[in-house]
Amino acid sequence: CVCHVCLTLPNINIIAEMKKLQDLEKRLKNVEEMLEEMKKEKEALLSFHLCTSTCMYVCICIYMYVYMFPEKKVAFSASLLASGEGYTGPMKPVPTPLIYKKVFSNYGNGYNPDTGVFTAPIKGVYFFRFYAHCQGGTTMAVSLYKNDERQCSVFSWKPAANGNATNGTVLTLEKGDRIYTKLWDETWVFDDTAGYTSFSGFLLFPL
Ligand SMILES: *[C@@H]1O[C@H](CO)[C@@H](O)[C@H](O)[C@H]1NC(C)=O
Ligand SMILES: *[C@@H]1O[C@H](CO)[C@@H](O)[C@H](O)[C@H]1NC(C)=O
């Protein structure tokens, strides 16, 4: 038998060979364990990679949403006096736009109640309308301006009892264009808690 032959071979130490074999087995087991470790590490790395790429994808989506498709909800409405009642005007020269203080809504924050100026947050087609009211005696005249150009106006020449007027327009605006209303020289408007004198605008569609 082979074993017999082995045992009888003079220069083979069978005990030592078996020990070597045992060592080999141990080392093999170590290698197997190492491989298992590496596999686990690879899986962890893969899921980490998946997570970071998902995060990046989400980030890109948010970036695109915020910068490439900006806020499309733009609408505001405000009346002249925050409280009480009274005239604004007459003045010459008229120093500022009419500052509508009582804000009903201001989606997109385009309207500034400190200056009375609406600044287009995005390029688009907008609609604006203003109402003016006055009582007898003095002329009422208000114009709507785009940047420094008059667009449309209302006028009521010294009405006997009181006057109401409204006008509006559809305008194509670039981002940053400024829209406001202004009294003419030596004219006035009246407002009270009923909000007779007001200014509104909204985005019809972006361009
Ligand atoms: C509105 O404005 C236009 C342009 O200034 C003017 O022709 C029109 O008469 C105004 N409408 C009213 C009701 O005042
Ligand atoms: C103007 O509007 C007010 C409030 O609606 C009304 O009381 C008044 O009669 C109107 N004036 C005219 C001249 O139509």
PDB file of all heavy atoms in Angstrom, residues 45-64:
ATOM      1  N   LEU A  45     -18.793  49.022   0.246  1.00  0.00           N
ATOM      2  CA  LEU A  45     -18.318  50.085  -0.640  1.00  0.00           C
ATOM      3  C   LEU A  45     -19.333  50.357  -1.751  1.00  0.00           C
ATOM      4  O   LEU A  45     -19.627  51.499  -2.080  1.00  0.00           O
ATOM      5  CB  LEU A  45     -16.988  49.634  -1.260  1.00  0.00           C
ATOM      6  CG  LEU A  45     -16.008  50.773  -1.571  1.00  0.00           C
ATOM      7  CD1 LEU A  45     -15.486  51.370  -0.280  1.00  0.00           C
ATOM      8  CD2 LEU A  45     -14.871  50.273  -2.434  1.00  0.00           C
ATOM      9  N   LEU A  46     -19.889  49.272  -2.274  1.00  0.00           N
ATOM     10  CA  LEU A  46     -20.860  49.381  -3.366  1.00  0.00           C
ATOM     11  C   LEU A  46     -22.105  50.129  -2.906  1.00  0.00           C
ATOM     12  O   LEU A  46     -22.599  51.020  -3.592  1.00  0.00           O
ATOM     13  CB  LEU A  46     -21.246  47.986  -3.831  1.00  0.00           C
ATOM     14  CG  LEU A  46     -21.009  47.793  -5.319  1.00  0.00           C
ATOM     15  CD1 LEU A  46     -20.323  46.456  -5.535  1.00  0.00           C
ATOM     16  CD2 LEU A  46     -22.298  47.844  -6.100  1.00  0.00           C
ATOM     17  N   SER A  47     -22.589  49.775  -1.709  1.00  0.00           N
ATOM     18  CA  SER A  47     -23.810  50.430  -1.224  1.00  0.00           C
ATOM     19  C   SER A  47     -23.509  51.883  -0.886  1.00  0.00           C
ATOM     20  O   SER A  47     -24.338  52.761  -1.099  1.00  0.00           O
ATOM     21  CB  SER A  47     -24.407  49.687  -0.032  1.00  0.00           C
ATOM     22  OG  SER A  47     -23.597  49.841   1.085  1.00  0.00           O
ATOM     23  N   PHE A  48     -22.271  52.153  -0.398  1.00  0.00           N
ATOM     24  CA  PHE A  48     -21.866  53.536  -0.148  1.00  0.00           C
ATOM     25  C   PHE A  48     -21.865  54.329  -1.449  1.00  0.00           C
ATOM     26  O   PHE A  48     -22.404  55.419  -1.551  1.00  0.00           O
ATOM     27  CB  PHE A  48     -20.473  53.564   0.499  1.00  0.00           C
ATOM     28  CG  PHE A  48     -19.908  54.939   0.659  1.00  0.00           C
ATOM     29  CD1 PHE A  48     -20.384  55.783   1.657  1.00  0.00           C
ATOM     30  CD2 PHE A  48     -18.924  55.417  -0.203  1.00  0.00           C
ATOM     31  CE1 PHE A  48     -19.873  57.062   1.804  1.00  0.00           C
ATOM     32  CE2 PHE A  48     -18.418  56.694  -0.056  1.00  0.00           C
ATOM     33  CZ  PHE A  48     -18.890  57.518   0.949  1.00  0.00           C
ATOM     34  N   HIS A  49     -21.321  53.719  -2.483  1.00  0.00           N
ATOM     35  CA  HIS A  49     -21.245  54.347  -3.795  1.00  0.00           C
ATOM     36  C   HIS A  49     -22.649  54.643  -4.315  1.00  0.00           C
ATOM     37  O   HIS A  49     -22.937  55.729  -4.797  1.00  0.00           O
ATOM     38  CB  HIS A  49     -20.506  53.426  -4.747  1.00  0.00           C
ATOM     39  CG  HIS A  49     -20.206  54.069  -6.063  1.00  0.00           C
ATOM     40  ND1 HIS A  49     -19.230  55.024  -6.187  1.00  0.00           N
ATOM     41  CD2 HIS A  49     -20.773  53.932  -7.275  1.00  0.00           C
ATOM     42  CE1 HIS A  49     -19.207  55.427  -7.447  1.00  0.00           C
ATOM     43  NE2 HIS A  49     -20.139  54.783  -8.129  1.00  0.00           N
ATOM     44  N   LEU A  50     -23.528  53.655  -4.154  1.00  0.00           N
ATOM     45  CA  LEU A  50     -24.922  53.791  -4.595  1.00  0.00           C
ATOM     46  C   LEU A  50     -25.574  54.967  -3.882  1.00  0.00           C
ATOM     47  O   LEU A  50     -26.260  55.781  -4.478  1.00  0.00           O
ATOM     48  CB  LEU A  50     -25.666  52.495  -4.277  1.00  0.00           C
ATOM     49  CG  LEU A  50     -26.942  52.286  -5.071  1.00  0.00           C
ATOM     50  CD1 LEU A  50     -26.592  51.932  -6.498  1.00  0.00           C
ATOM     51  CD2 LEU A  50     -27.787  51.202  -4.442  1.00  0.00           C
ATOM     52  N   CYS A  51     -25.291  55.054  -2.555  1.00  0.00           N
ATOM     53  CA  CYS A  51     -25.867  56.120  -1.735  1.00  0.00           C
ATOM     54  C   CYS A  51     -25.363  57.469  -2.205  1.00  0.00           C
ATOM     55  O   CYS A  51     -26.152  58.382  -2.435  1.00  0.00           O
ATOM     56  CB  CYS A  51     -25.508  55.900  -0.273  1.00  0.00           C
ATOM     57  SG  CYS A  51     -26.029  57.242   0.761  1.00  0.00           S
ATOM     58  N   THR A  52     -24.025  57.587  -2.414  1.00  0.00           N
ATOM     59  CA  THR A  52     -23.495  58.893  -2.829  1.00  0.00           C
ATOM     60  C   THR A  52     -24.001  59.274  -4.203  1.00  0.00           C
ATOM     61  O   THR A  52     -24.325  60.434  -4.446  1.00  0.00           O
ATOM     62  CB  THR A  52     -21.946  58.927  -2.816  1.00  0.00           C
ATOM     63  OG1 THR A  52     -21.486  57.741  -3.405  1.00  0.00           O
ATOM     64  CG2 THR A  52     -21.391  59.089  -1.425  1.00  0.00           C
ATOM     65  N   SER A  53     -24.122  58.294  -5.113  1.00  0.00           N
ATOM     66  CA  SER A  53     -24.608  58.659  -6.449  1.00  0.00           C
ATOM     67  C   SER A  53     -26.084  59.048  -6.391  1.00  0.00           C
ATOM     68  O   SER A  53     -26.510  59.959  -7.100  1.00  0.00           O
ATOM     69  CB  SER A  53     -24.345  57.560  -7.473  1.00  0.00           C
ATOM     70  OG  SER A  53     -24.817  56.343  -7.000  1.00  0.00           O
ATOM     71  N   THR A  54     -26.858  58.411  -5.498  1.00  0.00           N
ATOM     72  CA  THR A  54     -28.266  58.795  -5.319  1.00  0.00           C
ATOM     73  C   THR A  54     -28.342  60.217  -4.782  1.00  0.00           C
ATOM     74  O   THR A  54     -29.123  61.037  -5.267  1.00  0.00           O
ATOM     75  CB  THR A  54     -28.976  57.818  -4.356  1.00  0.00           C
ATOM     76  OG1 THR A  54     -28.755  56.509  -4.822  1.00  0.00           O
ATOM     77  CG2 THR A  54     -30.466  58.097  -4.293  1.00  0.00           C
ATOM     78  N   CYS A  55     -27.482  60.486  -3.784  1.00  0.00           N
ATOM     79  CA  CYS A  55     -27.442  61.832  -3.194  1.00  0.00           C
ATOM     80  C   CYS A  55     -27.122  62.871  -4.267  1.00  0.00           C
ATOM     81  O   CYS A  55     -27.767  63.910  -4.336  1.00  0.00           O
ATOM     82  CB  CYS A  55     -26.387  61.922  -2.099  1.00  0.00           C
ATOM     83  SG  CYS A  55     -26.892  61.117  -0.589  1.00  0.00           S
ATOM     84  N   MET A  56     -26.136  62.545  -5.092  1.00  0.00           N
ATOM     85  CA  MET A  56     -25.738  63.482  -6.144  1.00  0.00           C
ATOM     86  C   MET A  56     -26.887  63.736  -7.102  1.00  0.00           C
ATOM     87  O   MET A  56     -27.150  64.863  -7.498  1.00  0.00           O
ATOM     88  CB  MET A  56     -24.538  62.929  -6.914  1.00  0.00           C
ATOM     89  CG  MET A  56     -23.249  63.633  -6.533  1.00  0.00           C
ATOM     90  SD  MET A  56     -21.846  62.773  -7.204  1.00  0.00           S
ATOM     91  CE  MET A  56     -22.083  63.069  -8.942  1.00  0.00           C
ATOM     92  N   TYR A  57     -27.588  62.668  -7.430  1.00  0.00           N
ATOM     93  CA  TYR A  57     -28.720  62.761  -8.346  1.00  0.00           C
ATOM     94  C   TYR A  57     -29.798  63.676  -7.767  1.00  0.00           C
ATOM     95  O   TYR A  57     -30.315  64.565  -8.440  1.00  0.00           O
ATOM     96  CB  TYR A  57     -29.279  61.359  -8.595  1.00  0.00           C
ATOM     97  CG  TYR A  57     -30.431  61.332  -9.555  1.00  0.00           C
ATOM     98  CD1 TYR A  57     -30.231  61.558 -10.920  1.00  0.00           C
ATOM     99  CD2 TYR A  57     -31.731  61.093  -9.104  1.00  0.00           C
ATOM    100  CE1 TYR A  57     -31.288  61.540 -11.793  1.00  0.00           C
ATOM    101  CE2 TYR A  57     -32.793  61.074  -9.982  1.00  0.00           C
ATOM    102  CZ  TYR A  57     -32.566  61.303 -11.332  1.00  0.00           C
ATOM    103  OH  TYR A  57     -33.630  61.299 -12.182  1.00  0.00           O
ATOM    104  N   VAL A  58     -30.098  63.475  -6.476  1.00  0.00           N
ATOM    105  CA  VAL A  58     -31.106  64.297  -5.786  1.00  0.00           C
ATOM    106  C   VAL A  58     -30.659  65.764  -5.784  1.00  0.00           C
ATOM    107  O   VAL A  58     -31.448  66.670  -6.059  1.00  0.00           O
ATOM    108  CB  VAL A  58     -31.352  63.773  -4.349  1.00  0.00           C
ATOM    109  CG1 VAL A  58     -32.184  64.757  -3.542  1.00  0.00           C
ATOM    110  CG2 VAL A  58     -32.046  62.415  -4.404  1.00  0.00           C
ATOM    111  N   CYS A  59     -29.356  65.972  -5.486  1.00  0.00           N
ATOM    112  CA  CYS A  59     -28.807  67.338  -5.462  1.00  0.00           C
ATOM    113  C   CYS A  59     -28.995  68.009  -6.821  1.00  0.00           C
ATOM    114  O   CYS A  59     -29.411  69.167  -6.891  1.00  0.00           O
ATOM    115  CB  CYS A  59     -27.324  67.321  -5.115  1.00  0.00           C
ATOM    116  SG  CYS A  59     -27.053  67.144  -3.355  1.00  0.00           S
ATOM    117  N   ILE A  60     -28.666  67.275  -7.880  1.00  0.00           N
ATOM    118  CA  ILE A  60     -28.778  67.838  -9.231  1.00  0.00           C
ATOM    119  C   ILE A  60     -30.234  68.199  -9.517  1.00  0.00           C
ATOM    120  O   ILE A  60     -30.530  69.258 -10.071  1.00  0.00           O
ATOM    121  CB  ILE A  60     -28.209  66.856 -10.284  1.00  0.00           C
ATOM    122  CG1 ILE A  60     -26.678  66.807 -10.159  1.00  0.00           C
ATOM    123  CG2 ILE A  60     -28.606  67.281 -11.696  1.00  0.00           C
ATOM    124  CD1 ILE A  60     -26.039  65.671 -10.903  1.00  0.00           C
ATOM    125  N   CYS A  61     -31.154  67.324  -9.087  1.00  0.00           N
ATOM    126  CA  CYS A  61     -32.590  67.571  -9.300  1.00  0.00           C
ATOM    127  C   CYS A  61     -33.014  68.856  -8.592  1.00  0.00           C
ATOM    128  O   CYS A  61     -33.705  69.688  -9.176  1.00  0.00           O
ATOM    129  CB  CYS A  61     -33.426  66.410  -8.783  1.00  0.00           C
ATOM    130  SG  CYS A  61     -33.327  64.997  -9.883  1.00  0.00           S
ATOM    131  N   ILE A  62     -32.586  69.014  -7.338  1.00  0.00           N
ATOM    132  CA  ILE A  62     -32.944  70.209  -6.564  1.00  0.00           C
ATOM    133  C   ILE A  62     -32.363  71.454  -7.247  1.00  0.00           C
ATOM    134  O   ILE A  62     -33.050  72.451  -7.431  1.00  0.00           O
ATOM    135  CB  ILE A  62     -32.458  70.098  -5.099  1.00  0.00           C
ATOM    136  CG1 ILE A  62     -33.253  68.997  -4.378  1.00  0.00           C
ATOM    137  CG2 ILE A  62     -32.584  71.424  -4.366  1.00  0.00           C
ATOM    138  CD1 ILE A  62     -32.722  68.614  -3.026  1.00  0.00           C
ATOM    139  N   TYR A  63     -31.102  71.352  -7.652  1.00  0.00           N
ATOM    140  CA  TYR A  63     -30.424  72.471  -8.329  1.00  0.00           C
ATOM    141  C   TYR A  63     -31.206  72.877  -9.578  1.00  0.00           C
ATOM    142  O   TYR A  63     -31.492  74.054  -9.801  1.00  0.00           O
ATOM    143  CB  TYR A  63     -29.004  72.043  -8.704  1.00  0.00           C
ATOM    144  CG  TYR A  63     -28.250  73.098  -9.469  1.00  0.00           C
ATOM    145  CD1 TYR A  63     -27.561  74.104  -8.803  1.00  0.00           C
ATOM    146  CD2 TYR A  63     -28.238  73.101 -10.869  1.00  0.00           C
ATOM    147  CE1 TYR A  63     -26.873  75.075  -9.506  1.00  0.00           C
ATOM    148  CE2 TYR A  63     -27.563  74.062 -11.572  1.00  0.00           C
ATOM    149  CZ  TYR A  63     -26.873  75.046 -10.887  1.00  0.00           C
ATOM    150  OH  TYR A  63     -26.207  75.996 -11.586  1.00  0.00           O
ATOM    151  N   MET A  64     -31.588  71.853 -10.378  1.00  0.00           N
ATOM    152  CA  MET A  64     -32.322  72.146 -11.615  1.00  0.00           C
ATOM    153  C   MET A  64     -33.659  72.789 -11.312  1.00  0.00           C
ATOM    154  O   MET A  64     -34.071  73.740 -11.966  1.00  0.00           O
ATOM    155  CB  MET A  64     -32.534  70.859 -12.415  1.00  0.00           C
ATOM    156  CG  MET A  64     -31.357  70.582 -13.307  1.00  0.00           C
ATOM    157  SD  MET A  64     -31.457  69.002 -14.141  1.00  0.00           S
ATOM    158  CE  MET A  64     -33.019  69.111 -14.960  1.00  0.00           C
TER     159      MET A  64
END
